[in-house]
Amino acid sequence: MGTVSVSEVKPMVTLPGDAVRAIQWRFADRFDLQMLVASARGVARGFVARLVAAGERNTHEWTPAKEEMLQEFDRAGVTAAFMEPEEGGFISGPKNLALSLAAFELAWVDGGAATASLAGFLALAPIHERGTPEQVARYKKLSAPPQPGEDREPWRGAFALTEPIPYVGVDTGMLSGKVRVAEWTEGEEPWLQVDKRGRFITNIAFADFVTAAVNSDDPRIKGSCIVILEEGDEGIFDRGTPTKKLVHQLSATGDPVFNLKVPASRIVGGYTVKDGTMIPNFSHSEVIEAVFRRTRVPVGLMTAAKLLSAVEPVIRYQRQRFRGAEGLNPGSLRYEQGIQQREDALHRLVDVWAAGEAAASLGFAAARLFDALEPLEKQKTAILKERGIQGGRAEMKALRESEERAIELLSLPPDDRRRAELEADRLVDFVLMDSEANVLCPATKLWNTGHGANMLREAVSLMGGYGITEDCPGFLGNKWMDAQLEATYEGPEAVQRRQLTVTMTGEVFLAQFRAWAREMRRIASDRPGTGACTLASAMGLWLWTLNYLRKATDPSGGKLYHGQRQGVTFALADALCWLLASRAQILDVLELEKRGADDPVVAEDLAATVQFLSDLCHIQAAQSAGEVSRICGELVFGYNRHPGWDEEEHRCCFLAAELDEFEEFMPGIAAMAVDVVAADGSHPQKAGPCAGCAGSSEFLRLQSKLTTCLTGSRLAKDRAADTVSKVMIPEALDYPAAGPA
Amino acid sequence: MSNPLHIVVCAGIVPDPLQTLEPVSGPHGPGLKNEMVLPAVLDPWAASALYEAAHLAAKHPGSKVWLVALGPKAKLQQVMMTVAQKAGFELVPVDGPIGGFPDAHSTAAVLAETISAIAGLDKTRLLLFGGWESASRGAGITLQLIGEILGITDQFQGVDRIDMRADCSFEVLERVEGGMHQESVCAGLPAVLGWATGTLAEPRNNPQTGMSNMRTILPALQKARPVALSGDSLRYVAVSLPRQQRATRVVKDMSPDEIARELVEWMGAE
């Protein structure tokens, strides 16, 4: 390697194992989750891997072998992970982290398998979140795998939202389904006629029920809602043709057509009748808001799993690349290290690894947050109900005071007496957590899948030509392609950016963000090698830029930070995601350092593991800082019109004759002047006089400081690369590569 | 059949066989490089014994299975996250050193003492199960020694099948040379059975079984008795991995008979 840095700690011995991950991702004390991980891993690296290796991805149709995968999920408890123990599950309480871990394990091998598992939960989620007690009881019971002594097939579900058929001019914001009253006899349950066409609907090949979003097409039904459709309902339940996906072929996707008559009790969450009109208790958007904010996080974690899963096969490939060559003997550097003799190969792998760590940390932080938020949300609703406040707008209004209290809490010094009172306020707690969740969820979905797809391309490239073959160990080519779908389904990137532009400018979130920047400085003071200081500086630059852009206008007087101005808002959202991922990564390493010594298995190699993971944090923080600097620089300066050489603009330039005069009483000024217009009007060969930085000097100061904060980050990369070249890996991957079954 | 059995399975933990295993010498004798940080699994031979035990117990209502395991309790706990999902059992952990190099006599003494102390264990109904080999080091004598210490003289090794009869006598298939089995009939319990691979597939993970087992496993791990194994009676002169050979020869148009003859010659020479 070109640059050698000497670490005081010996290099990490093995790849981080389960015990390390359980501490980092905070489930070391959750045996139910550790078992779910073991169980999902068994299916993923066993049955699912064999399916992929046998070429089962090479068909769009839903085959018996793919069908058997669902039964494997059932038998291994993956399906039951969504249920409460009394419903046939084994995990009590919120299950965001549980489902995320299961998706992570399945996606380690195949994203389609993970999607097949998640899609079932997605179908049930509207019922779980907003269903009536009867709906929850019925569909969860039917969907639970059979218990000992039971002889039945579990029901499978699909979720049909609003994917329009392309090229027909349908706005993606419009619902493609309609509902009207079919029969309504006085004193009896009304019957509905549901007409819905779906596109790209996962699980549709085998779904027994579908939760479908529909709009009212009848004055007797108000607004929109989600209805539950069953295969046995009267009418058309056509599963449509399989989608010819290039990716995720282990999940069943199709374009179904439904025209069904169903009882009104199938409206998710029920309805009330007022003045002869049915009013669904929840609109379709209220239901999907509750659903998607949770289900998008596991998708982000799927891509994170793929990035981390790439590390071991790439290391093995790099080390063994030249073995078997004539005259190459064991013990020689070329034999033992192969491509890992080259710094570039190591550095690029380190980048992939660092991105995977950050993505996993961000996703699991979001999943844990939703677990914590779930009971708090119920408490919030109960508290407000007690105060006679119910409904969306009334609640929002009532929570404004809590938001002010939350902001106050964030600004108080640690020893302030008022802290205790504010910290004990559950509504303040809710407001803080909700604000964070509203940012972390889209950030996970957007950054993990988007940047993750880019980094998976990098991982594929590290395998050379092997990377884009079916034989590639770890199925890296598939994973790269699959990541593109993960970036698209359950709300494509633009939707996530749009959400972020709203939530990241909330006053509570900005107060939290400022507190996080201070927290990073404190961490940097204790743990200087983590990149926390770099990150704090980047956070400062982002905040300054946001404040600037919210006030600034373009040369035409148009506001820069505006909902329609996505060139500004979306870019700033992208920059924020880098910061959030880096922060989560650093916090996870600190957690490992703090708790690792209590676990004898982890303690054995703790110092080296923490050193290596800290180096990855530093590398990632530097990369985040670079991205933030670039994006913010473009936004701050990019909307200024560049001065030209015309009469109007070159007034700020020196004329050659003027300079001669000035030189007499300011010797040397001529050498410093760059934008000089000669008497004949000629000027230096460039676009125009250099743009001024009036009003932006503070930005340049912060940006310049950020640049110097990159100090040491490449040394960290050298150290990490050194570890990657020495770390022990297993003799073989624990799941098969492609080939004859 | 209403003859409840008391089945004790002795099982150690070993590094995941996919890991790179490199012998190293330490202050306490030989060991495997980085063994503590390598992922571990239940010794595959003993795991077969556990699955057979659970299967047998299920056929004899009222039976009970104990899993006696010696190893660092943190590692045991990790391994239990998977093993506990495979079958119902009660764990009897002993917090001791990891590795395949301790003296089998010391290990057997500790395990026999632990088994004797199991509350409620009826030795007249005892089937002592374990692996006839170990994935960490194939001394293959620990189980026999435990049986001897416990006074169980009916011992069978390389077992692939057991068929219990109504009177608690049983038929047992033991592996013998040439891919053959020896069929024996044992008049009754107690007995020691060192299992080969058995006939059962590895059970699927079932988290519900796991959660049920964990109710007793976690308290047992917390109370695991620490032991230090005596190493005075055994001295290793050298340890090494089996030698790997690669002697490839590319030959075209060789008949199957010639290939077979050459292989037989080669095996004879080894």
Side-chain angles (χ1 to χ4, degrees):
Chain A
M1 286 171 54
T3 309
V4 177
S5 58
V6 180
S7 167
E8 289 173 10
V9 178
K10 64 177 180 154
M12 182 175 71
V13 168
T14 59
L15 303 175
D18 286 340
V20 169
R21 295 314 192 185
I23 294 172
Q24 280 186 286
W25 302 334
R26 323 290 206 282
F27 64 100
D29 57 347
R30 293 280 306 270
F31 303 114
D32 49 351
L33 299 187
Q34 290 179 46
M35 284 193 190
L36 176 63
V37 166
S39 200
R41 184 176 299 171
V43 178
R45 301 187 198 187
F47 188 86
V48 171
R50 287 195 296 276
L51 277 190
V52 179
E56 203 61 31
R57 283 179 60 118
N58 297 335
T59 168
H60 303 297
E61 277 69 34
W62 190 246
T63 63
K66 293 179 190 177
E67 179 74 26
E68 205 184 329
M69 179 181 73
L70 301 179
Q71 289 153 21
E72 288 286 329
F73 290 163
D74 295 343
R75 286 189 284 251
V78 175
T79 314
F82 192 73
M83 318 287 176
E84 289 295 322
E86 60 272 21
E87 295 161 348
F90 57 98
I91 299 170
S92 298
K95 293 171 184 63
N96 299 283
L97 183 56
L99 300 185
S100 295
L101 285 164
F104 185 90
E105 283 301 328
L106 291 169
W108 189 276
V109 174
D110 187 80
T115 295
S117 131
L118 281 177
F121 305 143
L122 184 62
L124 274 174
I127 301 167
H128 171 78
E129 294 291 341
R130 297 285 185 253
T132 62
E134 296 77 22
Q135 289 167 345
V136 172
R138 172 176 169 77
Y139 291 98
K140 278 196 162 178
K141 191 177 174 197
L142 287 169
S143 303
Q147 300 298 301
E150 275 189 302
D151 181 21
R152 63 173 173 84
E153 289 292 316
W155 273 30
R156 318 275 181 202
F159 179 58
L161 181 58
T162 173
E163 189 77 45
I165 296 167
Y167 315 122
V168 294
V170 178
D171 189 304
T172 48
M174 302 290 286
L175 279 179
S176 59
K178 299 288 180 198
V179 60
R180 55 192 164 76
V181 175
E183 290 170 26
W184 194 345
T185 310
E186 182 71 29
E188 287 181 20
E189 175 95 84
W191 283 81
L192 309 174
Q193 190 67 37
V194 177
D195 183 15
K196 172 86 181 174
R197 294 185 69 138
R199 184 157 170 86
F200 298 149
I201 304 304
T202 310
N203 279 8
I204 196 60
F206 50 81
D208 300 289
F209 71 96
V210 175
T211 38
V214 285
N215 237 338
S216 169
D217 191 27
D218 192 317
R220 288 171 293 173
I221 305 172
K222 191 178 173 193
S224 66
C225 61
I226 302 250
V227 287
I228 308 165
L229 310 174
E230 293 183 8
E231 192 189 0
D233 288 332
E234 183 188 331
I236 298 166
F237 189 103
D238 184 342
R239 298 174 191 278
T241 51
T243 308
K244 292 193 167 77
K245 289 177 296 179
L246 292 170
V247 294
H248 279 219
Q249 292 94 338
L250 292 192
S251 68
T253 311
D255 302 345
V257 178
F258 307 108
N259 193 310
L260 297 165
K261 190 173 160 187
V262 301
S265 60
R266 298 277 190 79
I267 293 175
V268 171
Y271 61 94
T272 39
V273 177
K274 195 176 175 187
D275 302 330
T277 303
M278 291 170 59
I279 306 169
N281 291 339
F282 298 102
S283 72
H284 90 282
S285 55
E286 282 171 320
V287 177
I288 62 172
E289 186 193 350
V291 169
F292 274 154
R293 70 192 301 224
R294 287 170 170 80
T295 57
R296 282 169 176 161
V297 171
V299 178
L301 279 162
M302 284 165 54
T303 320
K306 293 170 191 190
L307 286 167
L308 292 176
S309 80
V311 170
E312 186 192 321
V314 171
I315 292 179
R316 187 173 295 106
Y317 169 79
Q318 290 179 333
R319 288 186 190 163
Q320 298 180 355
R321 177 67 180 81
F322 304 127
R323 292 182 193 176
E326 204 170 326
L328 187 62
N329 297 318
S332 68
L333 196 60
R334 192 171 160 79
Y335 181 94
E336 298 298 337
Q337 290 214 283
I339 300 175
Q340 291 208 332
Q341 292 174 94
R342 304 288 172 227
E343 185 179 271
D344 178 66
L346 293 168
H347 276 195
R348 285 179 188 278
L349 179 55
V350 162
D351 284 338
V352 172
W353 197 336
E357 293 289 339
S361 292
L362 177 61
F364 284 121
R368 290 193 304 271
L369 185 65
F370 278 110
D371 273 356
L373 183 61
E374 213 167 294
L376 206 52
E377 213 166 2
K378 288 184 182 131
Q379 282 184 38
K380 177 258 314 182
T381 308
I383 292 169
L384 292 180
K385 195 176 172 186
E386 231 174 59
R387 295 179 190 172
I389 301 162
Q390 269 178 300
R393 282 192 182 174
E395 281 195 6
M396 272 173 68
K397 199 174 163 191
L399 286 173
R400 259 181 222 135
E401 189 209 343
S402 301
E403 286 175 9
E404 282 165 24
R405 286 161 67 82
I407 293 168
E408 184 191 351
L409 174 62
L410 291 167
S411 66
L412 292 177
D415 54 351
D416 195 291
R417 278 189 204 164
R418 220 172 120 64
R419 282 193 82 88
E421 182 204 329
L422 294 172
E423 279 168 353
D425 185 337
R426 302 306 281 159
L427 291 182
V428 167
D429 218 4
F430 169 77
V431 160
L432 286 170
M433 230 179 258
D434 192 50
S435 146
E436 190 178 346
N438 283 334
V439 172
L440 288 201
C441 173
T444 300
K445 176 72 167 61
L446 174 64
W447 190 82
N448 282 20
T449 59
H451 182 59
N454 294 342
M455 294 312 284
L456 274 163
R457 193 210 66 81
E458 191 76 10
V460 167
S461 78
L462 292 175
M463 300 289 270
Y466 211 10
I468 47 165
T469 66
E470 285 185 11
D471 307 330
C472 178
F475 311 127
L476 296 191
N478 292 344
K479 287 174 182 171
W480 171 34
M481 290 271 284
D482 286 351
Q484 186 54 45
L485 177 56
E486 285 140 34
T488 305
Y489 71 3
E490 281 210 40
E493 287 162 297
V495 170
Q496 308 310 316
R497 290 186 175 110
R498 173 84 188 113
Q499 191 184 338
L500 275 168
T501 59
V502 176
T503 56
M504 74 186 187
T505 50
E507 287 310 312
V508 176
F509 176 72
L510 289 175
Q512 283 173 305
F513 192 76
R514 281 189 283 273
W516 293 349
R518 293 193 295 272
E519 173 198 38
M520 283 296 127
R521 289 271 186 240
R522 277 197 303 277
I523 289 170
S525 168
D526 296 334
R527 294 279 292 110
T530 52
C533 220
T534 316
L535 194 62
S537 296
M539 290 168 108
L541 188 74
W542 185 88
L543 270 172
W544 189 94
T545 306
L546 175 67
N547 285 337
Y548 170 83
L549 293 170
R550 288 171 98 179
K551 292 176 208 143
T553 56
D554 65 15
S556 313
K559 284 178 75 172
L560 287 183
Y561 199 92
H562 185 273
Q564 300 302 319
R565 197 128 204 187
Q566 291 151 3
V568 176
T569 54
F570 281 18
L572 215 50
D574 284 340
L576 175 67
C577 293
W578 284 89
L579 299 172
L580 298 175
S582 258
R583 172 179 176 265
Q585 186 183 6
I586 290 169
L587 294 179
D588 278 359
V589 174
L590 293 182
E591 180 75 9
L592 176 66
E593 188 176 34
K594 193 168 145 195
R595 309 230 179 264
D598 297 339
D599 184 329
V601 177
V602 177
E604 180 93 357
D605 198 30
L606 180 63
T609 306
V610 167
Q611 175 67 60
F612 174 72
L613 293 175
S614 298
D615 284 336
L616 292 189
C617 288
H618 202 163
I619 293 159
Q620 190 61 32
Q623 199 164 2
S624 302
E627 286 295 319
V628 169
S629 177
R630 178 185 63 77
I631 292 170
C632 292
E634 264 189 56
L635 294 178
V636 169
F637 291 102
Y639 285 97
N640 295 335
R641 185 174 289 139
H642 199 293
W645 294 112
D646 58 30
E647 183 68 24
E648 182 68 21
E649 300 280 0
H650 81 220
R651 280 187 193 151
C652 56
C653 302
F654 290 111
L655 296 175
E658 286 171 349
L659 267 185
D660 290 342
E661 282 177 30
F662 293 157
E663 188 67 27
E664 285 179 15
F665 50 89
M666 282 187 279
I669 190 171
M672 295 174 70
V674 287
D675 295 331
V676 182
V677 179
D680 61 357
S682 63
H683 52 73
Q685 294 294 307
K686 54 183 189 152
C690 284
C693 60
S696 313
S697 58
E698 179 61 8
F699 176 85
L700 291 175
R701 188 187 69 76
L702 291 172
Q703 195 185 39
S704 168
K705 177 178 161 57
L706 180 57
T707 306
T708 57
C709 284
L710 299 177
T711 305
S713 61
R714 285 276 162 167
L715 292 174
K717 194 175 234 181
D718 279 349
R719 248 188 332 264
D722 186 51
T723 297
V724 169
S725 73
K726 291 175 179 152
V727 72
M728 207 165 125
I729 59 166
E731 291 290 308
L733 204 59
D734 59 357
Y735 55 100
Chain B
M1 277 189 274
S2 57
N3 289 317
L5 303 169
H6 282 189
I7 310 173
V8 173
V9 182
C10 295
I13 54 173
V14 296
D16 183 332
L18 285 175
Q19 299 294 326
T20 305
L21 306 179
E22 191 181 332
V24 288
S25 291
H28 306 297
L32 289 177
K33 188 177 174 186
N34 304 322
E35 186 162 5
M36 192 61 185
V37 291
L38 293 177
V41 295
L42 198 68
D43 192 318
W45 300 99
S48 296
L50 174 65
Y51 309 147
E52 294 286 348
H55 184 68
L56 192 59
K59 288 200 292 190
H60 295 264
S63 297
K64 189 162 178 188
V65 177
W66 288 267
L67 181 71
V68 178
L70 188 154
K73 64 179 181 181
K75 293 295 269 190
L76 283 175
Q77 182 172 315
Q78 225 178 23
V79 171
M80 285 305 128
M81 292 306 153
T82 305
V83 175
Q85 300 193 46
K86 307 263 183 205
F89 59 83
E90 185 177 311
L91 180 69
V92 184
V94 185
D95 190 10
I98 196 167
F101 295 98
D103 178 12
H105 289 80
S106 312
T107 306
V110 167
L111 291 177
E113 188 188 344
T114 305
I115 292 165
S116 296
I118 291 175
L121 180 69
D122 181 351
K123 285 186 188 159
T124 64
R125 301 190 166 279
L126 175 62
L127 276 172
L128 181 63
F129 279 19
W132 75 319
E133 288 277 358
S134 161
S136 62
R137 190 170 59 86
I141 58 165
T142 310
L143 195 65
Q144 294 173 43
L145 292 169
I146 298 170
E148 292 294 332
I149 296 168
L150 293 175
I152 306 172
T153 50
D154 287 328
Q155 300 208 0
F156 304 90
Q157 295 296 331
V159 175
D160 270 337
R161 204 178 78 199
I162 180 173
D163 291 314
M164 292 297 298
R165 294 172 172 173
D167 61 353
C168 276
S169 66
F170 58 89
E171 288 175 39
V172 63
L173 284 188
E174 287 173 281
R175 287 187 184 180
V176 290
E177 286 185 20
M180 307 288 282
H181 281 103
Q182 172 177 291
E183 188 173 346
S184 309
V185 176
C186 185
L189 305 173
V192 173
L193 275 76
W195 283 86
T197 53
T199 55
L200 300 174
E202 183 179 340
R204 290 187 175 89
N205 288 329
N206 182 338
Q208 277 165 328
T209 303
M211 289 301 285
S212 161
N213 276 333
M214 285 317 261
R215 287 190 201 114
T216 57
I217 287 176
L218 286 174
L221 280 165
Q222 278 163 1
K223 290 186 282 186
R225 182 170 62 103
V227 295
L229 297 177
S230 157
D232 299 343
S233 58
L234 182 68
R235 189 173 67 85
Y236 287 88
V237 178
V239 291
S240 65
L241 287 176
R243 194 162 49 94
Q244 287 187 7
Q245 285 189 22
R246 179 171 173 160
T248 308
R249 212 177 73 213
V250 179
V251 183
K252 288 181 182 170
D253 304 329
M254 201 172 177
S255 72
D257 286 346
E258 283 176 282
I259 295 170
R261 184 182 47 74
E262 202 172 298
L263 280 172
V264 170
E265 272 175 23
W266 174 77
M267 285 190 277
E270 286 289 303

